[in-house]
Coordinates of all heavy atoms in Angstrom, one line a residue:
I1 N -95.7 -182.0 -26.4 CA -95.1 -183.1 -25.6 C -94.3 -184.1 -26.4 O -93.2 -184.4 -26.1 CB -96.3 -183.8 -24.8 CG1 -97.0 -182.8 -23.9 CG2 -95.7 -185.0 -24.0 CD1 -98.2 -183.4 -23.2
S2 N -95.0 -184.6 -27.5 CA -94.3 -185.6 -28.3 C -93.1 -185.1 -29.1 O -92.2 -185.8 -29.4 CB -95.3 -186.2 -29.3 OG -95.8 -185.3 -30.2
L3 N -93.1 -183.8 -29.4 CA -92.0 -183.2 -30.1 C -91.2 -182.2 -29.2 O -90.5 -181.3 -29.7 CB -92.5 -182.4 -31.3 CG -93.2 -183.2 -32.4 CD1 -93.7 -182.3 -33.5 CD2 -92.3 -184.3 -32.9
K4 N -91.3 -182.4 -27.9 CA -90.6 -181.5 -26.9 C -89.1 -181.4 -27.2 O -88.4 -182.4 -27.4 CB -90.9 -182.0 -25.5 CG -90.4 -181.0 -24.5 CD -90.7 -181.5 -23.1 CE -90.2 -180.5 -22.0 NZ -90.6 -181.0 -20.6
G5 N -88.7 -180.1 -27.3 CA -87.2 -179.8 -27.4 C -86.7 -179.9 -28.9 O -85.5 -179.7 -29.1
T6 N -87.6 -180.2 -29.8 CA -87.2 -180.3 -31.2 C -87.3 -179.0 -31.9 O -88.1 -178.1 -31.6 CB -88.0 -181.4 -32.0 OG1 -89.4 -181.0 -32.0 CG2 -87.9 -182.7 -31.3
D7 N -86.5 -178.8 -33.0 CA -86.6 -177.6 -33.8 C -88.0 -177.5 -34.5 O -88.5 -176.4 -34.7 CB -85.5 -177.6 -34.8 CG -84.1 -177.4 -34.2 OD1 -84.1 -176.9 -33.0 OD2 -83.1 -177.8 -34.8
K8 N -88.6 -178.7 -34.8 CA -89.8 -178.7 -35.6 C -91.0 -178.1 -34.7 O -91.7 -177.3 -35.3 CB -90.2 -180.1 -36.0 CG -91.2 -180.1 -37.1 CD -90.7 -179.5 -38.3 CE -91.8 -179.3 -39.4 NZ -91.3 -178.6 -40.6
I9 N -91.0 -178.4 -33.5 CA -92.1 -177.9 -32.6 C -91.9 -176.4 -32.4 O -92.9 -175.6 -32.4 CB -92.3 -178.6 -31.3 CG1 -93.6 -178.3 -30.6 CG2 -91.1 -178.3 -30.4 CD1 -94.8 -178.7 -31.4
N10 N -90.7 -175.9 -32.3 CA -90.4 -174.5 -32.2 C -90.8 -173.8 -33.5 O -91.4 -172.7 -33.4 CB -88.9 -174.3 -31.9 CG -88.5 -174.8 -30.6 OD1 -89.3 -174.9 -29.7 ND2 -87.3 -175.2 -30.4
E11 N -90.6 -174.4 -34.7 CA -91.0 -173.8 -35.9 C -92.5 -173.7 -36.1 O -93.1 -172.7 -36.5 CB -90.4 -174.6 -37.1 CG -90.8 -174.1 -38.5 CD -90.3 -175.1 -39.6 OE1 -89.5 -176.0 -39.3 OE2 -90.9 -175.0 -40.7
I12 N -93.2 -174.8 -35.7 CA -94.6 -174.9 -35.7 C -95.2 -173.8 -34.8 O -96.2 -173.1 -35.2 CB -95.2 -176.3 -35.3 CG1 -94.8 -177.3 -36.4 CG2 -96.7 -176.3 -35.1 CD1 -95.1 -178.7 -36.0
N13 N -94.7 -173.7 -33.6 CA -95.2 -172.6 -32.7 C -95.0 -171.2 -33.3 O -95.9 -170.4 -33.1 CB -94.5 -172.8 -31.3 CG -94.9 -174.0 -30.6 OD1 -96.0 -174.5 -30.8 ND2 -94.1 -174.5 -29.6
R14 N -93.9 -171.0 -34.0 CA -93.7 -169.7 -34.6 C -94.7 -169.5 -35.7 O -95.3 -168.4 -35.8 CB -92.3 -169.6 -35.1 CG -91.2 -169.4 -34.1 CD -89.9 -168.9 -34.7 NE -89.4 -169.8 -35.8 CZ -88.6 -170.8 -35.5 NH1 -88.2 -171.1 -34.2 NH2 -88.2 -171.6 -36.5
I15 N -94.9 -170.5 -36.5 CA -95.8 -170.3 -37.7 C -97.3 -170.1 -37.2 O -98.0 -169.2 -37.6 CB -95.8 -171.6 -38.6 CG1 -94.5 -171.7 -39.3 CG2 -96.9 -171.6 -39.6 CD1 -94.3 -173.0 -40.0
F16 N -97.7 -170.9 -36.2 CA -99.1 -170.8 -35.7 C -99.2 -169.9 -34.5 O -100.3 -169.8 -34.0 CB -99.6 -172.2 -35.3 CG -99.8 -173.1 -36.5 CD1 -98.7 -173.9 -37.0 CD2 -101.0 -173.1 -37.2 CE1 -98.9 -174.7 -38.1 CE2 -101.2 -173.9 -38.3 CZ -100.1 -174.7 -38.7
K17 N -98.1 -169.2 -34.1 CA -98.2 -168.2 -33.1 C -98.8 -168.7 -31.8 O -99.7 -168.2 -31.2 CB -99.0 -166.9 -33.5 CG -98.3 -166.3 -34.8 CD -99.2 -165.1 -35.3 CE -98.5 -164.3 -36.3 NZ -97.6 -165.1 -37.3
S18 N -98.1 -169.8 -31.3 CA -98.6 -170.4 -30.1 C -97.4 -170.8 -29.2 O -96.2 -170.8 -29.7 CB -99.4 -171.7 -30.4 OG -98.6 -172.7 -31.1
I19 N -97.7 -171.2 -28.0 CA -96.6 -171.7 -27.1 C -96.7 -173.2 -27.0 O -95.7 -173.9 -27.0 CB -96.8 -171.0 -25.7 CG1 -96.6 -169.5 -25.8 CG2 -95.8 -171.6 -24.7 CD1 -96.8 -168.8 -24.4
Y20 N -98.0 -173.7 -26.8 CA -98.2 -175.1 -26.8 C -99.1 -175.5 -27.9 O -100.1 -174.8 -28.3 CB -98.9 -175.5 -25.4 CG -98.0 -175.1 -24.2 CD1 -98.4 -174.1 -23.4 CD2 -96.8 -175.8 -24.0 CE1 -97.6 -173.8 -22.3 CE2 -96.0 -175.5 -22.9 CZ -96.4 -174.5 -22.0 OH -95.7 -174.2 -20.9
T21 N -98.8 -176.6 -28.6 CA -99.5 -177.0 -29.8 C -99.9 -178.5 -29.8 O -99.2 -179.3 -29.2 CB -98.6 -176.8 -31.0 OG1 -98.4 -175.4 -31.1 CG2 -99.2 -177.4 -32.3
I22 N -101.1 -178.8 -30.4 CA -101.5 -180.2 -30.7 C -102.1 -180.2 -32.1 O -102.9 -179.3 -32.5 CB -102.6 -180.6 -29.7 CG1 -102.1 -180.7 -28.3 CG2 -103.1 -182.0 -30.1 CD1 -103.2 -181.0 -27.2
M23 N -101.6 -181.1 -32.9 CA -102.1 -181.3 -34.3 C -102.5 -182.7 -34.5 O -101.8 -183.6 -34.1 CB -101.0 -180.9 -35.3 CG -100.6 -179.4 -35.1 SD -99.2 -179.0 -36.3 CE -100.2 -178.8 -37.8
S24 N -103.7 -182.9 -35.1 CA -104.3 -184.2 -35.3 C -104.8 -184.3 -36.7 O -105.5 -183.4 -37.2 CB -105.4 -184.5 -34.3 OG -105.8 -185.9 -34.4
P25 N -104.5 -185.4 -37.4 CA -105.0 -185.6 -38.8 C -106.5 -185.8 -38.9 O -107.1 -186.5 -38.0 CB -104.2 -186.8 -39.3 CG -103.8 -187.6 -38.1 CD -103.7 -186.6 -37.0
I26 N -107.1 -185.2 -39.9 CA -108.5 -185.4 -40.3 C -108.5 -186.4 -41.4 O -108.0 -186.1 -42.5 CB -109.2 -184.1 -40.6 CG1 -109.2 -183.2 -39.4 CG2 -110.6 -184.4 -41.1 CD1 -109.7 -181.8 -39.7
L27 N -109.2 -187.6 -41.2 CA -109.0 -188.7 -42.2 C -110.4 -189.3 -42.7 O -110.7 -190.4 -42.3 CB -108.2 -189.8 -41.6 CG -106.8 -189.4 -41.0 CD1 -106.2 -190.5 -40.2 CD2 -105.9 -189.1 -42.2
P28 N -111.1 -188.5 -43.4 CA -112.3 -189.1 -44.0 C -112.0 -190.2 -45.0 O -110.9 -190.2 -45.6 CB -113.0 -187.9 -44.7 CG -111.9 -186.9 -45.0 CD -110.9 -187.1 -43.9
K29 N -112.9 -191.1 -45.2 CA -112.6 -192.2 -46.1 C -112.6 -191.8 -47.6 O -111.9 -192.4 -48.4 CB -113.7 -193.3 -46.0 CG -113.7 -194.0 -44.6 CD -114.8 -195.0 -44.5 CE -114.8 -195.6 -43.1 NZ -115.9 -196.6 -42.9
E30 N -113.3 -190.7 -47.9 CA -113.3 -190.2 -49.3 C -113.1 -188.7 -49.2 O -113.4 -188.0 -48.3 CB -114.6 -190.6 -50.0 CG -114.8 -192.1 -50.2 CD -116.0 -192.4 -51.0 OE1 -116.7 -191.4 -51.5 OE2 -116.4 -193.5 -51.2
G31 N -112.6 -188.2 -50.3 CA -112.5 -186.7 -50.4 C -111.2 -186.2 -49.8 O -110.3 -186.9 -49.4
S32 N -111.1 -184.9 -49.6 CA -110.0 -184.2 -49.1 C -109.7 -184.5 -47.6 O -110.6 -184.6 -46.8 CB -110.1 -182.7 -49.2 OG -110.3 -182.3 -50.6
R33 N -108.4 -184.8 -47.3 CA -108.0 -185.0 -46.0 C -107.2 -183.8 -45.5 O -106.9 -182.9 -46.3 CB -107.1 -186.2 -45.9 CG -107.8 -187.6 -46.2 CD -106.9 -188.8 -46.0 NE -107.6 -190.0 -46.1 CZ -107.2 -191.2 -45.7 NH1 -105.9 -191.3 -45.3 NH2 -107.9 -192.3 -45.8
G34 N -107.0 -183.7 -44.2 CA -106.3 -182.5 -43.6 C -105.9 -182.7 -42.2 O -105.6 -183.9 -41.8
F35 N -105.8 -181.6 -41.5 CA -105.4 -181.7 -40.1 C -106.0 -180.6 -39.3 O -106.5 -179.6 -39.8 CB -103.8 -181.6 -39.9 CG -103.2 -180.3 -40.4 CD1 -103.1 -179.3 -39.5 CD2 -102.8 -180.1 -41.7 CE1 -102.5 -178.1 -39.8 CE2 -102.3 -178.9 -42.1 CZ -102.1 -177.9 -41.2
L36 N -106.2 -180.9 -38.0 CA -106.7 -179.9 -37.0 C -105.6 -179.5 -36.1 O -104.9 -180.3 -35.5 CB -107.8 -180.7 -36.2 CG -108.3 -179.9 -34.9 CD1 -109.1 -178.6 -35.3 CD2 -109.3 -180.9 -34.1
F37 N -105.5 -178.1 -36.0 CA -104.5 -177.5 -35.1 C -105.2 -176.9 -33.9 O -106.2 -176.2 -34.1 CB -103.7 -176.4 -35.8 CG -103.0 -175.5 -34.9 CD1 -101.7 -175.8 -34.4 CD2 -103.6 -174.3 -34.5 CE1 -101.1 -175.0 -33.5 CE2 -102.9 -173.4 -33.7 CZ -101.7 -173.8 -33.2
A38 N -104.7 -177.1 -32.7 CA -105.2 -176.4 -31.5 C -104.0 -175.9 -30.7 O -103.0 -176.7 -30.5 CB -106.0 -177.4 -30.7
G39 N -104.0 -174.7 -30.4 CA -102.8 -174.1 -29.7 C -103.2 -173.0 -28.7 O -104.4 -172.5 -28.6

């Protein structure tokens, strides 16, 4: 929704093999950070 119509969301969908995508950062106070993908 937030990246609708952009080349980036199309690229992400191709990489993650999805039609609709949501990605959210994982932000612990210490140690490794990352992100959660749901598609």
